[in-house]
Amino acid sequence: MKSLFQQDLKVANVGLQGFADNIVAAGGQVTHLSWAPPAGADAALGWKLANLVGDKRIEEANRSAHERYLAAQPRLIDLILARDAMPGLTERRILHAGPPIAWADMCGPQQGAITGAILYEGWADSLEAAEEMAASGKVALEPCHHHGAVGPMAGIISPSMPVWVVENADRGNRAFCNLNEGLGKVLRFGANSPDVIERLRWLGGEFFTTMQAAVRGLADANLKPLMAQALHMGDELHNRNAAASALLFKRFTLALLKSKLDSAAVERALAFVAGNDHFFLNISMAACKAMTDAAHGVAGSSMVTVMARNGVNFGIRLSGTGDQWFQAPANPVDGLYFPGYTVEDAAADLGDSAITETNGLGGFAMAASPAIVQFVGGTPADATANSRRMLSITLGANPAFTLPPLNFGGTPAGIDARLVADCGVLPIINTGIAHKKAGVGQIGAGITTAPMSCFNDAIAALATSLEGGAA
Amino acid sequence: MNTNSRFYPNLYKDSVSLMTVSAKVSAVPGIEAASVVMASATNVENLANAGLGEFEVRPNDLIVAVSGTDDACAEALKTADELLSAKAGGGEESAGAQQPVTSIQMAAAKDPAHNFALISVPGDYAAAEAMKALRLGMDVMLFSDNVPPESERALKLFAQQQNLMVMGPDCGTAIVNGVPLGFANVVRRGPIGIVGASGTGTQEVTVRIHQGGSGVSQALGTGGHDLAAAIGGISMLHGLKALDEDPDTKVIVLVSKPPAPDVAKAVLGAAEASVKPVVAIFLGADPDSITRNGVHGAAYLAQAADMAVALAKGEKPDRKPIPLTNDVQRKVKEVARAMASGQRCVRGIFSGGTFCFEAQLIHAAAGIPAYSNAPTAGNQKLTNVAKSLENTIIDMGDDEFTQGRPHPMIDPSLRDARIREEVADPTTAVILFDVVLGYGSAADPTAGLIGVIGTAKAKAQAEGRRVAFIGYVCGTDQDPQNRAAIIAALKSAGVFVASSNAEAATWSAAIISERKEATK
């Protein structure tokens, strides 16, 4: 108290507004808080949370996790088959988006996509047989995140699918993501008709061979500068990847021109890349996964390293709580729908692509991409405000990814679960909306948030993991 | 149901902008479906599937297609046209530029100069907010009550390690660096520092110091439970030390109800060790029993303030009794003589808890026991707080009166109604009350009371009774309320207005003693 007598009093007023008014009337300095009970109004958890504020073990762990994250240098080093990329992806195993979920509980698009993947792998020769196989447990279904991988929407990766390999040059960890099939009827939205499987076969055949040569021939495999440049060109690298896709197209073109591949095959491959403004999304996701994985596994850290959805639940992981998932039903999406569709048709929030927000992009980098904010009828100023708001729940900013509207300040990066639970500001996620029926495809896009109870549960688990000492 | 459409050749808009326009066009009353898209192959197929019509594929052209009533379709096309032809740039002001501060951590991150938290959220959540503030290096005033004792202890032990202070829980008043916090009066800054465990007790001391021509360096609160054995006076000891080390503080006043014996010993020991003179008042404790070398015991609040003012001037801190001048004695007899035969009781109706406590002590010392909802040692607990018995002195700011209602300092209407009831009781001789001014208190605390006194008094007079009204206004000439006008209004309503709570109680006790003699 004594040192306070020598300072100017600056009060944080929590509660009665009248007290703040009085301080102002008396000529004092005060900030009145728009307070609501934190931690889901669970007083016991709120007390636990309060005792984690400024905890030296957490602060130290977060510093270390955040440094690893900032030091990460994702490089696009290869395109190989999933079974060769992931040692755990043995036969009769299929990876899906989000936290773990049983077949019977899955949403339509995810079931449809798994059925399609079984057909693609040739494990069954009809849709019915494929469904029967999945339902009877003859195929192991596991989250992509359990294998260092990510996948947009249904997020299906089966052993014979090609995956991008992104390596973090700083720590050597690798992350994987499947190929983007374009828009319309595609596997990631649960479509599994013959044309969809046919496209997958082409992607796993001629396109795979061609693009593997392109990746291996890249003059510059560094992804961070390319992503930083795309942020200055209107992408937020989740719902908008037009600039990054174009930048990557330039690099691939030069690499392919030097290859000795059949020019017709090269033309078909490049035409496919050129025709898809979302082509870069899957590479962005692998890069984000490589960066956030670098921060994972620091004991005591409250930094969020995974946010993912399986079409039913939203799940998060913290750096300091290992393999645990903290799940809650996904929040609704506030969005715009394509002609003929309404919110009634929408599946719940789906996909691993929230790894971009976990990494400070997507909704967090909305200021870079004012076009995206129109999905909820906002203005460019709202986009900037969204990015600023996210700074209040992150450990810091990423100087490698800057946002011109924030005076070239870094993207908000490294969500601290303590801050989310305390201030009630939820991470913003830009997302596509899938039709709830398999195979219809994308029917809109919009903005959603991560559910609060994931963060509350994560805080409770972190507190338990730290019990037995205080700092 | 009709469809209508319009092409805009070579007009390119990105799909997100178009979805926004579509949404607005769809919202036109009477519109079934609407779509504003580039006429690509996929989109044209979608339009057909949505029943909006068959169109030619023209990828560079924009198409607006609507279905609904004829009028609605025309209106929708017009709306679309306006939206599509809107000029680029400009746009409305953003609502989201200033984001609300929702947590103490956010406030600290926004401006690290935040060095103090004033917390008045419900008790279930208050301790957690206080802990966060402490962990961020802030001193804390915890106005909230109903904080569990184990949380209070955890907070105070943590604060002790960090050399920070927790004022509260249930701390109603403080003045830090001249800034009034919670319920606080506007007083001159000066050489006297106060650490108080009772809210209105501290207010009374600060006000009296101001009226004595001196001023207050800091007025710190501890909350009412701090000097219980479970807490051990952690906050009071901290406050005492902080004031002892504060170059602007020359004299220290400690205000409390009698602490647990071990705590009293620790506090008085620390006071004795202090390099500065200390005036201590433990309401109800014999002043001699708490006097030590350099520690001057006081019997009542105003006396403590007067002694501190004397010490600050370098004078001897005489423990002067409440003056009962000849004039006052004459007036007391006159008033008592005019009463009807059944009038024998005092009814003390207080908004300040410490005022209620001190008034009971002064009556008890004069041999007048009283019932109370918050009885002092030797007094009886009132079983039904809504009904006075014999001599009754109640604190209407206590929990049983404030459940779901504002404190009587904020809204005195319940207190005013109680006074009306008491006047109607034929045994009532004296109505004793307080009016507390300052920040936090009602803007016009006697607005209703003056009228209540007028009508109640007239009614009693019509019934042949003359009730004495004795009031005390705790406040200064610098408070937001107009103290002089309030006192003048009370006086003209026939209220005897005392210069301290102790004086008011002393007058009341004198009248009741006279009535005891008269009704023997």
Side-chain angles (χ1 to χ4, degrees):
Chain A
M1 196 81 192
K2 190 189 76 170
S3 57
L4 187 66
F5 299 160
Q6 314 307 325
Q7 300 165 18
D8 282 338
L9 189 74
K10 177 134 192 171
V11 181
N13 185 55
V14 195
L16 303 173
Q17 164 91 52
F19 288 168
D21 297 343
N22 291 344
I23 291 169
V24 172
Q29 300 178 73
V30 62
T31 303
H32 180 65
L33 272 55
S34 302
W35 183 88
D42 175 342
L45 181 60
W47 176 249
K48 275 187 190 172
L49 169 64
N51 282 279
L52 299 182
V53 170
D55 184 298
K56 288 196 180 67
R57 295 163 302 177
I58 299 179
E59 299 298 325
E60 189 46 49
N62 282 349
R63 196 158 27 248
S64 162
H66 204 242
E67 272 168 15
R68 289 192 199 178
Y69 156 76
L70 292 179
Q73 287 299 340
R75 291 167 57 80
L76 181 59
I77 60 166
D78 213 345
L79 180 70
I80 55 178
L81 292 183
R83 68 162 63 86
D84 299 325
M86 292 169 259
L89 191 54
T90 48
E91 277 311 304
R92 300 291 157 107
R93 208 166 277 267
I94 290 178
L95 308 184
H96 62 78
I101 183 169
W103 165 265
D105 300 328
M106 284 179 175
C107 67
Q110 208 163 48
Q111 287 187 335
I114 286 169
T115 320
I118 290 172
L119 292 177
Y120 168 73
E121 291 292 336
W123 299 337
D125 51 16
S126 72
L127 276 177
E128 294 71 27
E131 269 176 26
E132 153 63 23
M133 182 178 256
S136 65
K138 285 182 190 133
V139 177
L141 304 173
E142 292 168 8
C144 292
H145 276 291
H146 290 188
H147 296 267
V150 282
M153 299 314 283
I156 301 306
I157 301 177
S158 64
S160 315
M161 288 181 186
V163 290
W164 299 110
V165 181
V166 173
E167 186 175 85
N168 167 18
D170 182 54
R171 298 179 66 82
N173 60 295
R174 290 182 172 193
F176 315 100
C177 188
N178 53 12
L179 291 173
N180 194 294
E181 314 153 71
L183 289 169
K185 288 195 169 52
V186 287
L187 190 77
R188 70 175 186 280
F189 285 103
N192 51 26
S193 51
D195 49 327
V196 172
I197 306 303
E198 197 50 44
R199 190 193 302 112
L200 287 177
R201 294 239 159 84
W202 177 73
L203 287 170
E206 179 186 281
F207 184 80
F208 169 50
T209 314
T210 312
M211 293 314 291
Q212 188 177 61
V215 177
R216 291 179 177 176
L218 281 177
D220 181 2
N222 284 310
L223 287 171
K224 235 174 172 173
L226 185 151
M227 292 163 81
Q229 194 183 355
L231 284 173
H232 288 195
M233 295 166 72
D235 283 0
E236 39 70 279
L237 297 160
H238 183 176
N239 267 16
R240 193 176 196 275
N241 285 283
S245 297
L247 292 171
L248 187 68
F249 181 86
K250 289 199 293 185
R251 293 191 190 180
F252 279 159
T253 307
L254 286 176
L256 283 171
L257 285 175
K258 283 190 280 184
S259 76
K260 306 278 178 267
L261 294 168
D262 168 47
S263 66
V266 167
E267 190 184 338
R268 280 189 292 272
L270 285 176
F272 182 81
V273 177
N276 181 2
D277 278 349
H278 283 292
F279 190 77
F280 188 79
L281 170 64
N282 300 45
I283 294 163
S284 167
M285 286 172 60
C288 291
K289 175 66 175 163
M291 291 175 72
T292 57
D293 257 3
H296 192 76
V298 181
S301 170
S302 57
M303 180 172 159
V304 176
T305 50
V306 171
M307 295 196 289
R309 308 91 94 198
N310 60 25
V312 176
N313 278 349
F314 193 110
I316 70 167
R317 282 174 155 183
L318 300 192
S319 170
T321 52
D323 293 341
Q324 274 180 279
W325 285 95
F326 306 100
Q327 302 184 49
N331 284 341
V333 180
D334 182 5
L336 289 174
Y337 291 84
F338 298 154
Y341 299 107
T342 71
V343 66
E344 298 302 315
D345 303 310
D349 198 17
L350 176 65
D352 285 335
S353 56
I355 195 70
T356 56
E357 279 80 11
T358 316
N359 192 40
L361 302 172
F364 284 48
M366 198 105 90
S369 191
I372 298 301
V373 86
Q374 291 194 55
F375 278 121
V376 286
T379 65
D382 294 330
T384 304
N386 278 340
S387 288
R388 278 192 208 285
R389 194 160 71 249
M390 292 302 103
L391 278 168
S392 61
I393 54 170
T394 52
L395 293 167
N398 184 348
F401 295 149
T402 59
L403 299 170
L406 263 58
N407 290 331
F408 295 92
T411 49
I415 301 164
D416 183 345
R418 292 177 304 174
L419 294 174
V420 176
D422 189 30
C423 72
V425 172
L426 294 170
I428 292 181
I429 292 160
N430 291 345
T431 191
I433 304 171
H435 197 288
K436 64 186 172 190
K437 281 201 215 120
V440 178
Q442 185 172 3
I443 59 167
I447 293 175
T448 187
T449 50
M452 179 55 89
S453 69
C454 297
F455 298 89
N456 293 338
D457 293 348
I459 286 302
L462 185 69
T464 305
S465 79
L466 291 169
E467 260 162 31
Chain B
M1 202 54 58
N2 271 311
T3 58
N4 204 340
S5 62
R6 179 171 169 189
F7 269 101
Y8 291 81
N10 293 318
L11 177 62
Y12 174 80
K13 300 246 176 186
D14 71 84
S15 62
V16 180
S17 303
L18 294 179
M19 284 160 80
T20 311
V21 176
S22 292
K24 288 183 179 152
V25 175
S26 302
V28 171
I31 286 296
E32 170 101 337
S35 184
V36 184
V37 289
M38 300 304 295
S40 67
T42 322
N43 287 336
V44 164
E45 195 186 327
N46 283 339
L47 291 173
N49 292 342
L52 286 165
E54 303 287 337
F55 299 98
E56 198 187 331
V57 173
R58 290 157 57 176
N60 290 324
D61 298 349
L62 190 151
I63 181 168
V64 180
V66 296
S67 69
T69 62
D70 269 352
D71 288 352
C73 284
E75 181 62 31
L77 287 180
K78 202 172 133 231
T79 304
D81 193 61
E82 282 164 11
L83 291 166
L84 290 168
S85 56
K87 282 203 180 76
E92 58 271 56
E93 281 294 303
S94 155
Q98 271 287 334
Q99 69 158 314
V101 178
T102 57
S103 71
I104 299 177
Q105 292 192 78
M106 221 192 246
K110 202 175 152 204
D111 184 355
H114 286 98
N115 48 16
F116 192 90
L118 171 50
I119 296 161
S120 54
V121 299
D124 285 347
Y125 307 109
E129 295 306 316
M131 183 56 100
K132 283 179 253 184
L134 291 171
R135 297 189 75 101
L136 294 166
M138 300 180 194
D139 291 288
V140 169
M141 172 164 164
L142 199 45
F143 179 87
S144 314
D145 56 5
N146 299 317
V147 172
E150 60 275 16
S151 303
E152 175 172 357
R153 188 172 156 76
L155 288 173
K156 288 186 171 176
L157 288 175
F158 182 78
Q160 201 172 31
Q161 285 170 19
Q162 309 297 314
N163 201 23
L164 294 169
M165 182 164 179
V166 179
M167 303 203 283
D170 207 8
C171 174
T173 185
I175 303 171
V176 176
N177 298 356
V179 178
L181 301 168
F183 290 84
N185 298 93
V186 183
V187 301
R188 205 177 292 114
R189 291 205 78 177
I192 302 172
I194 301 155
V195 194
S198 57
T200 39
T202 300
Q203 283 187 267
E204 172 78 327
V205 172
T206 61
V207 162
R208 183 80 172 187
I209 287 168
H210 177 89
Q211 278 154 5
S214 190
V216 171
S217 56
Q218 308 285 345
L220 311 176
T222 68
H225 323 293
D226 187 63
L227 291 106
I231 308 295
I234 294 174
S235 292
M236 182 158 284
L237 291 167
H238 181 99
L240 175 58
K241 185 162 178 281
L243 293 178
D244 200 25
E245 292 169 356
D246 172 31
D248 296 332
T249 300
K250 308 295 180 209
V251 178
I252 299 167
V253 183
L254 305 179
V255 183
S256 175
K257 291 173 187 170
D262 283 352
V263 181
K265 207 171 144 194
V267 169
L268 290 171
E272 196 174 350
S274 155
V275 298
K276 296 171 184 171
V278 175
V279 177
I281 170 162
F282 293 164
L283 283 148
D286 174 2
D288 289 331
S289 74
I290 57 173
T291 299
R292 302 279 188 282
N293 185 25
V295 182
H296 311 275
Y300 53 92
L301 297 163
Q303 189 178 58
D306 293 348
M307 288 164 72
V309 172
L311 283 165
K313 285 195 259 185
E315 295 167 5
K316 229 162 81 58
D318 283 337
R319 206 189 290 153
K320 290 194 191 101
I322 300 290
L324 215 51
T325 61
N326 290 342
D327 265 4
V328 172
Q329 289 183 37
R330 197 165 46 245
K331 194 79 193 162
V332 163
K333 283 193 198 318
E334 183 191 313
V335 167
R337 251 199 307 273
M339 287 180 178
S341 61
Q343 288 184 270
R344 61 178 189 278
C345 302
V346 57
R347 297 290 158 84
I349 312 298
F350 285 91
S351 59
T354 316
F355 290 148
C356 172
F357 197 88
E358 189 181 51
Q360 288 184 67
L361 292 174
I362 286 170
H363 282 83
I368 304 165
Y371 287 90
S372 178
N373 59 329
T376 51
N379 274 352
Q380 297 257 31
K381 178 114 180 137
L382 204 54
T383 45
N384 176 6
V385 298
K387 191 87 195 81
S388 297
L389 282 176
E390 296 299 321
N391 296 310
T392 291
I393 301 175
I394 56 169
D395 170 17
M396 291 197 70
D398 205 8
D399 289 348
E400 54 255 86
F401 291 106
T402 54
Q403 292 288 345
R405 295 197 57 99
H407 193 280
M409 286 186 202
I410 300 169
D411 175 7
S413 56
L414 267 194
R415 192 270 313 263
D416 297 350
R418 181 71 178 238
I419 286 178
R420 180 187 299 132
E421 277 173 44
E422 301 295 352
V423 178
D425 184 333
T427 68
T428 300
V430 175
I431 298 289
L432 177 64
F433 64 91
D434 61 351
V435 174
V436 182
L437 309 184
Y439 282 115
S441 290
D444 190 358
T446 51
L449 184 63
I450 301 291
V452 165
I453 291 173
T455 51
K457 199 171 169 175
K459 195 160 167 272
Q461 252 164 14
E463 292 166 8
R465 289 177 288 114
R466 289 174 185 276
V467 177
F469 292 84
I470 301 174
Y472 167 57
V473 180
C474 177
T476 73
D477 50 356
Q478 292 177 19
D479 277 330
Q481 299 87 350
N482 186 339
R483 177 174 180 268
I486 286 168
I487 289 177
L490 286 170
K491 281 185 171 167
S492 68
V495 176
F496 299 107
V497 180
S499 66
S500 70
N501 184 61
E503 187 177 57
T506 302
W507 292 353
S508 164
I511 293 175
I512 299 299
S513 299
E514 282 293 325
R515 292 302 300 157
K516 262 211 277 194
E517 289 297 319
T519 53
K520 244 178 200 166

